[in-house]
Amino acid sequence: MHDFYNAYWWIFLIRGIFALILGILAIGWPGATFATLIVFFGAYLFIGGLFAIVGAIAARKTNENWSIFLFSGLLGVILGFLTFYNPFATGAALIYLVAFWAMLAGLFELIIAIRLRKMITGEGWYIAGGLLTIIFGLLLVANPVAAAVTLTWVFGIYAVITGIMLVSLSFRLRSGRR
């Protein structure tokens, strides 16, 4: 399996470069429309999915987990295509998904803080954190335009970090280091 990754190090390099470019665009052009950035995200999913499919097919004889790569690639291609088909629905779904996650996470933080109050002191900070997380989710729902810009910046930072990690990984794989 180690030989497979070494032989196809360039797949990680291309994905990393693409992630870096996408991240820099998202951070550097926050005034760009959210739909355009969602389409870029769809392109990232689609292209990443294609590379995962290529890698899975290449690994089918040497890697027993090649079907996981294939499934991941097919899912990326499908989600990328759906994003191209309707970027506004994808953008809205992303905003509401993050908002729902934040409100749910905040609620769980409150529940844990209340349960921990007999065991620790200073649980008020954890309660405050839970309330802030819930408020963040509510703000995302209340102002989807600001949410779109914020999520674009967060995605840009994520893409840059992921791109750096993938490029670094590709060089390590190419040189054969672990």
Side-chain angles (χ1 to χ4, degrees):
M1 183 163 51
H2 183 66
D3 293 335
F4 164 76
Y5 293 111
N6 291 81
Y8 294 98
W9 63 270
W10 53 272
I11 292 174
F12 296 97
L13 178 65
I14 292 171
R15 286 183 67 191
I17 290 170
F18 189 73
L20 277 170
I21 292 169
L22 183 58
I24 291 168
L25 287 173
I27 293 168
W29 291 350
T33 63
F34 187 56
T36 302
L37 294 172
I38 289 295
V39 169
F40 285 152
F41 178 64
Y44 177 74
L45 289 171
F46 189 81
I47 291 170
L50 289 177
F51 280 111
I53 290 170
V54 168
I57 291 169
R60 71 184 183 282
K61 293 182 182 175
T62 60
N63 187 332
E64 63 187 36
N65 296 322
W66 70 274
S67 61
I68 294 171
F69 293 115
L70 182 64
F71 177 74
S72 170
L74 290 172
L75 188 62
V77 167
I78 291 168
L79 290 174
F81 177 77
L82 290 174
T83 299
F84 293 144
Y85 181 72
N86 193 346
F88 293 106
T90 302
L94 182 62
I95 289 169
Y96 290 114
L97 179 67
V98 171
F100 175 74
W101 169 83
M103 290 185 277
L104 192 61
L107 180 63
F108 285 139
E109 289 172 7
L110 288 176
I111 291 169
I112 291 169
I114 291 169
R115 288 183 178 175
L116 288 177
R117 72 172 185 236
K118 295 177 184 171
M119 301 169 65
I120 63 170
T121 59
E123 73 279 356
W125 290 106
Y126 203 51
I127 290 171
L131 289 174
L132 284 174
T133 306
I134 291 170
I135 291 169
F136 172 70
L138 292 172
L139 288 173
L140 291 177
V141 171
N143 192 346
V145 173
V149 171
T150 302
L151 292 177
T152 300
W153 284 335
V154 169
F155 173 74
I157 292 167
Y158 159 78
V160 166
I161 292 169
T162 299
I164 290 169
M165 289 176 14
L166 286 170
V167 168
S168 172
L169 174 63
S170 73
F171 289 132
R172 291 176 59 203
L173 289 171
R174 183 174 182 220
S175 69
R177 288 186 291 151
R178 291 183 181 206

